Amino acid sequence: MRCLIIVSAVVLTLAAPLWAQGDAEQASGDQSITHGEFSQMVIDIALGWEEATPDPATSLEKLKLWNIAPTTWEVDELLTHGELSQIAAQVGIEYLPARPDSPVSRVFVEALLWREVGKLRDYMAKRLGHGFSANHVLDAGVDRAVSPSDFD
């Protein structure tokens, strides 16, 4: 009997984080982010535009044009952890989701993008040839360093 109580206590202790995670995901389910809203967030954070961020449809088209977002994405579809993981890997951000098919909350996406803003901005600067970067040469759209010995 005593062994059964100990085993039950251990099982409940190990299962508690899973229940809590399910409750947290359900609570954040109301704050899920769509592909279009994600695209807006990427453009806003990565490029730091001072002008107004384009609407969700335009933002998504820009990411598709830049080969960042898959062409199959729809503006109003919810972003999943698996999709976020694929985009993050493309940019050089390591993220391995526990539940790839579950929707992502806006708060989680924003935290991940801001945590890795340096990698995101470097990727965009290399991809577009301009923008904010840790490397000033990339900001100017120059693909190689210029040396005085190159001048005539």
Side-chain angles (χ1 to χ4, degrees):
M1 178 70 168
R2 189 173 174 180
C3 184
L4 180 62
I5 292 172
I6 293 172
V7 169
S8 297
V10 170
V11 169
L12 289 175
T13 302
L14 294 175
L18 295 176
W19 290 328
Q21 184 180 8
D23 291 343
E25 284 180 0
Q26 186 176 12
S28 68
D30 300 333
Q31 301 172 13
S32 298
I33 187 169
T34 65
H35 291 152
E37 293 167 337
F38 171 75
S39 301
Q40 280 184 303
M41 193 178 292
V42 168
I43 287 174
D44 188 42
I45 292 173
L47 299 179
W49 286 5
E50 293 180 6
E51 58 193 56
T53 304
D55 63 280
T58 304
S59 297
L60 181 57
E61 288 306 314
K62 287 185 181 295
L63 290 191
K64 287 179 180 181
L65 180 67
W66 299 333
N67 293 321
I68 296 171
T71 57
T72 57
W73 275 18
E74 296 293 328
V75 177
D76 295 328
E77 284 184 16
L78 292 179
L79 179 70
T80 65
H81 283 279
E83 292 169 333
L84 178 60
S85 174
Q86 290 173 345
I87 297 296
Q90 182 175 334
V91 174
I93 299 170
E94 293 182 31
Y95 169 58
L96 182 62
R99 296 182 180 165
D101 295 331
S102 63
V104 185
S105 72
R106 173 183 303 279
V107 175
F108 182 86
V109 171
E110 189 171 19
L112 179 68
L113 293 180
W114 277 114
R115 186 184 77 202
E116 301 289 352
V117 69
K119 290 180 183 177
L120 185 60
R121 287 185 175 171
D122 278 349
Y123 178 83
M124 294 299 280
K126 290 174 188 174
R127 185 84 184 126
L128 303 177
H130 63 81
F132 297 103
S133 170
N135 183 341
H136 69 281
V137 172
L138 293 176
D139 287 342
V142 178
D143 63 350
R144 62 180 176 80
V146 178
S147 167
S149 63
D150 291 343
F151 301 137
D152 289 330

